[in-house]
Amino acid sequence: MSLQGETPFTIAVSDDQLSLLRQKLALSTFPDELDDAGWDYGVPLAEIKRLVNRWKNGFDWHKQEAALNAELPQFTRDIDVEGYETLNVHYVHKKSEVKGAIPLLLVHGWPGSFIEFRKLLPLLIQASANHPSFHVVAISLPGYGFSTAPSKKGFEIPQYAEVAHKLMLALGYDEYATQGGDWGYRITRKMAELYGHKHSKAWHTNFPMSGPPTISRPLVWLGHALSSLPLFSYSKREKEGLERTMWFQRWGRGYYAEQTTRPQTLGYSLADSPVGLLAWIYEKLVQWTDNYRWDDDEVLTWISLYWFSRAGPAASIRIYYEGFKAADSKDLLSLIVHTKIPVGYSHFPKELVISPRSWTRVPNLVFEAEHDEGGHFAAYEKPEILAGDLRKMFGKGGGAFGVVKDKNGYDA
């Protein structure tokens, strides 16, 4: 496959679209709030009012749009999906000056988009004799950003993987590596299963997770059963990770129940109310990160990409229903779907599901790093750390060095 069919893309939201957004914001009705509620009941009213006022009266979308267009070379192309319609897929593609750079696909999740990789991308393409360089592709998944969305039911993780794989082939990358978190973790893992060895050569995730071990892994299962004993006790970091996971399961998963069961019902609110969309996503931006200091314009740029998305914000949440409903959902929290190609993990302390290391370790694990800071949006919160991990994994002496034929990340 070749570059034929690629169309350069520029974000260009019309003044009419912006005017309609401001009208909707001006007509917003806010709920009341209990005294001293803080974040206990959700996003505080004062924070939403501040953001809405900025969105309505001071936020310069055209400035943000111009910056994104200047920083990120964007394109679209048609990709045929077996059993489904042809989708027009949006992506960022930035090549390194290093001839032997490694083709690397970055895959986001929800509530992210290609903007998650805005800070990471320029680091990965840097040329140096001390670390590998990458040709970077950041896809907008179908239904996100400026990609079209499928119109048929049953568009599941294998279909997302097919789109991403075909995009890499269309760009001339017959062999490539992948990186992903959130849904990007499941999609890149599926790519490793379906296209491993021949095309997908190694994968890295900042979202390694697994459910409690079963008797099918007797030693790990026994270690877990005996974990209350000092000799078999989990480490302090692992215990903190389990506490974070329990917090998320108890207090942070309301969105998940709705999006996996009745996404269309929720979709009416997300598509019609910019305030509803803002509150729904802003909550996650704050509570899923590690004390990241969000600037108001950062938040509004992130949310605006959903509001002005090609398919509308409701399209982005259907992946939850399809992923949960499909037979593939049986491995939703399991990494024991053995992929055969090299894999690397980066562990961040404010991730949402943090499993003890013995649960997630697999025979093909070639890189693992523990970090003292960072949360769910690692590529955006801690781009230097994530770039460093990828450089170590794919660099000289790393477990995935030289996995892509004739492209080891360095000049010859």
Side-chain angles (χ1 to χ4, degrees):
M1 303 178 77
S2 71
L3 295 181
Q4 185 177 1
E6 180 175 84
T7 302
F9 182 86
T10 300
I11 306 171
V13 174
S14 71
D15 288 338
D16 286 346
Q17 289 174 285
L18 289 168
S19 177
L20 178 59
L21 169 61
R22 293 190 185 102
Q23 290 177 49
K24 283 180 171 287
L25 292 171
L27 294 171
S28 298
T29 300
F30 296 97
D32 65 345
E33 183 179 51
L34 297 175
D35 294 341
D36 302 316
W39 277 86
D40 291 347
Y41 292 78
V43 184
L45 179 60
E47 297 217 17
I48 290 298
K49 284 187 171 181
R50 185 193 74 246
L51 286 163
V52 169
N53 183 61
R54 175 65 180 172
W55 209 1
K56 182 174 55 177
N57 295 316
F59 179 65
D60 186 347
W61 167 254
H62 284 316
K63 177 182 176 181
Q64 303 300 328
E65 180 182 77
L68 289 170
N69 287 332
E71 293 173 28
L72 304 174
Q74 299 166 67
F75 307 89
T76 60
R77 68 165 57 243
D78 288 342
I79 294 181
D80 296 329
V81 186
E82 187 174 349
Y84 292 83
E85 68 266 49
T86 298
L87 297 175
N88 189 247
V89 176
H90 168 264
Y91 56 95
V92 174
H93 184 200
K94 196 160 188 175
K95 301 190 77 169
S96 168
E97 295 178 356
V98 175
K99 185 178 180 181
I102 303 162
L104 178 67
L105 173 70
L106 305 177
V107 185
H108 65 84
W110 185 91
S113 69
F114 69 94
I115 200 175
E116 279 189 62
F117 306 113
R118 182 182 193 174
K119 304 174 187 177
L120 179 65
L121 186 149
L123 300 175
L124 294 178
I125 66 169
Q126 288 177 0
S128 173
N130 299 318
H131 61 69
S133 184
F134 301 85
H135 297 315
V136 179
V137 180
I139 188 173
S140 289
L141 291 172
Y144 289 76
F146 302 104
S147 291
T148 59
S151 61
K152 296 181 181 179
K153 295 165 60 175
F155 198 93
E156 301 164 5
I157 299 304
Q159 282 71 49
Y160 286 95
E162 180 185 345
V163 169
H165 169 64
K166 286 182 174 178
L167 173 61
M168 294 303 280
L169 295 186
L171 293 174
Y173 299 133
D174 191 60
E175 296 184 2
Y176 55 82
T178 65
Q179 198 288 325
D182 197 86
W183 285 107
Y185 144 72
R186 290 201 64 204
I187 292 165
T188 55
R189 188 184 74 183
K190 181 59 68 175
M191 294 175 74
E193 291 178 57
L194 297 176
Y195 312 111
H197 289 305
K198 183 176 181 181
H199 299 290
S200 180
K201 308 301 285 188
W203 64 292
H204 175 277
T205 183
N206 51 286
F207 196 36
M209 61 178 182
S210 173
T214 65
I215 195 64
S216 64
R217 302 177 75 198
L219 293 180
V220 181
W221 175 82
L222 182 62
H224 177 58
L226 300 175
S227 61
S228 61
L229 302 177
L231 183 63
F232 298 94
S233 178
Y234 291 126
S235 69
K236 179 176 181 292
R237 185 186 293 266
E238 288 174 320
K239 290 177 181 177
E240 290 171 348
L242 287 171
E243 289 175 3
R244 171 73 171 172
T245 303
M246 291 173 64
W247 168 85
F248 176 66
Q249 297 284 348
R250 175 66 181 86
W251 297 106
R253 284 190 51 148
Y255 81 98
Y256 187 87
E258 185 68 17
Q259 293 182 181
T260 55
T261 57
R262 294 294 183 267
Q264 188 68 18
T265 303
L266 174 61
Y268 297 111
S269 299
L270 301 183
D272 184 64
S273 171
V275 177
L277 177 68
L278 169 64
W280 194 248
I281 293 180
Y282 178 60
E283 175 191 275
K284 284 72 177 175
L285 297 184
V286 173
Q287 298 204 321
W288 293 6
T289 51
D290 188 6
N291 295 313
Y292 182 80
R293 295 187 176 183
W294 289 97
D295 175 85
D296 284 355
D297 282 8
E298 260 185 304
V299 171
L300 296 174
T301 300
W302 193 293
I303 305 302
S304 293
L305 285 172
Y306 270 83
W307 184 256
F308 296 124
S309 62
R310 195 165 170 184
S316 68
I317 62 175
R318 293 185 188 124
I319 189 173
Y320 283 84
Y321 180 88
E322 303 294 2
F324 184 77
K325 183 173 179 289
D328 192 52
S329 67
K330 67 180 180 296
D331 63 21
L332 188 63
L333 292 177
S334 174
L335 268 172
I336 314 308
V337 177
H338 281 305
T339 61
K340 304 291 179 63
I341 61 175
V343 61
Y345 300 157
S346 293
H347 299 280
F348 292 90
K350 293 299 181 180
E351 188 49 272
L352 304 178
V353 178
I354 305 175
S355 306
R357 306 304 175 255
S358 62
W359 296 12
T360 58
R361 287 191 176 127
V362 289
N364 52 316
L365 181 64
V366 300
F367 174 83
E368 191 169 25
E370 298 272 0
H371 299 296
D372 295 327
E373 54 186 11
H376 188 65
F377 304 103
Y380 196 83
E381 295 175 68
K382 301 294 177 183
E384 295 86 359
I385 292 176
L386 192 58
D389 285 356
L390 289 166
R391 289 167 177 170
K392 291 173 186 174
M393 177 176 169
F394 290 93
K396 294 175 181 177
F401 175 67
V403 292
V404 176
K405 184 179 180 181
D406 298 327
K407 295 184 183 298
N408 63 12
Y410 300 85
D411 280 319

